[in-house]
Amino acid sequence: MIELYYAPGTASLVVHWLLLDLGVPHQLRRLDLDAREHKQAAYLALNPAGVVPTLVIDGEAIFESAAIVLHLADRYPEAQLAPPPGSLERARYYQWIVHLANQLMPAFRRWFYPQEAADESAIDAARDAARDAIEAIWERIDAHLAKQGPYLLGSQPSAADFLLTMLMRWSRNMPRPATDWAHLGELALTMKARPSFTRLYEIEGLTEWR
Ligand SMILES: N[C@@H](CCC(=O)N[C@@H](CS)C(=O)NCC(=O)O)C(=O)O
């Protein structure tokens, strides 16, 4: 049995989306972040960092959205969302997933939670710096897509594009959203056209960035 602990629109979105896209039967366990359900002992036993998502497979908990994305793509190879292990394509796939998880996600954390990175007097500067970091990454990825797109790995979508699309969504209310960059905007449109994305929105009750 597969269970997903999630909260709508958060880092769990990419996992939920992949489960739907891959057609994997699963149970949803919704957490109320405002009620701090993700900080209660029962959940911390699954995810010691007290964040979403957590995927539980046959009683074994896995956390870190990027790790779960990598695992799901491998577990359901028929969907061809990950290149073969050992190939150069696979190295590029790791590169993009790690880049998104290691560079872009922490910059978003500093944008959404600047108080974690700076004291009160420096919050505006911390947010500005986070915005600069995020926009520099959009610039870099857009330039890559211009040369070697339309997907991160070229002509075929991979699980990395699902992660990228979720992160583009997070920028929707920023001064300059990711979709301002032409090739990122095209990739977002293509990924959002997948029927699984519509289903995801219905289930999570999302409306923005349709
Ligand atoms: N690196 C983690 C980050 C997860 C994360 O920061 N989740 C946020 C929602 S987007 C969360 O649970 N925030 C609640 C909190 O930090 O209290 C992952 O990708 O799974």
Side-chain angles (χ1 to χ4, degrees):
M1 168 153 79
I2 295 192
E3 297 160 274
L4 172 63
Y5 287 81
Y6 84 109
T10 66
S12 53
L13 182 145
V14 66
V15 178
H16 190 187
W17 186 12
L18 271 176
L19 288 170
L20 293 168
D21 201 272
L22 294 165
V24 179
H26 58 276
Q27 298 280 328
L28 289 176
R29 311 276 181 232
R30 183 172 174 156
L31 292 174
D32 182 343
L33 300 190
D34 291 335
R36 301 189 62 76
E37 286 180 339
H38 58 307
K39 302 296 182 192
Q40 289 174 11
Y43 185 68
L44 291 174
L46 300 174
N47 184 325
V51 292
V52 284
T54 303
L55 193 72
V56 181
I57 304 180
D58 298 333
E60 293 290 327
I62 307 167
F63 54 86
E64 287 297 344
S65 57
I68 300 170
V69 163
L70 288 166
H71 179 62
L72 287 176
D74 281 351
R75 191 175 158 114
Y76 303 97
E78 57 283 358
Q80 300 190 325
L81 290 179
S87 64
L88 187 57
E89 278 285 280
R90 181 76 168 202
R92 296 250 176 270
Y93 168 71
Y94 287 143
Q95 169 197 293
W96 286 117
I97 294 212
V98 172
H99 186 64
L100 295 173
N102 220 17
Q103 301 291 326
L104 189 51
M105 289 179 87
F108 268 116
R109 183 92 199 174
R110 297 194 299 276
W111 170 261
F112 286 122
Y113 303 88
Q115 68 282 2
E116 290 178 354
D119 61 32
E120 196 59 40
S121 62
I123 278 194
D124 286 347
R127 272 195 120 204
D128 288 348
R131 178 187 166 187
D132 288 349
I134 291 166
E135 292 184 359
I137 293 170
W138 296 145
E139 191 68 39
R140 203 175 304 145
I141 297 179
D142 194 70
H144 163 74
L145 294 174
K147 278 195 243 143
Q148 292 176 55
Y151 297 103
L152 282 171
L153 299 185
S155 57
Q156 296 299 320
S158 73
D161 298 297
F162 286 74
L163 186 58
L164 173 59
T165 304
M166 176 182 81
L167 295 171
M168 285 198 275
R169 182 179 185 276
W170 289 2
S171 74
R172 66 194 181 279
N173 295 320
M174 290 185 70
R176 207 175 158 202
T179 47
D180 257 29
W181 281 263
H183 301 92
L184 284 167
E186 278 302 311
L187 190 149
L189 280 180
T190 310
M191 292 301 292
K192 283 158 66 172
R194 297 175 84 92
S196 55
F197 191 81
T198 305
R199 186 83 191 106
L200 171 76
Y201 262 54
E202 282 165 9
I203 299 171
E204 294 207 356
L206 303 174
T207 50
E208 285 184 63
W209 208 71
R210 262 197 188 279

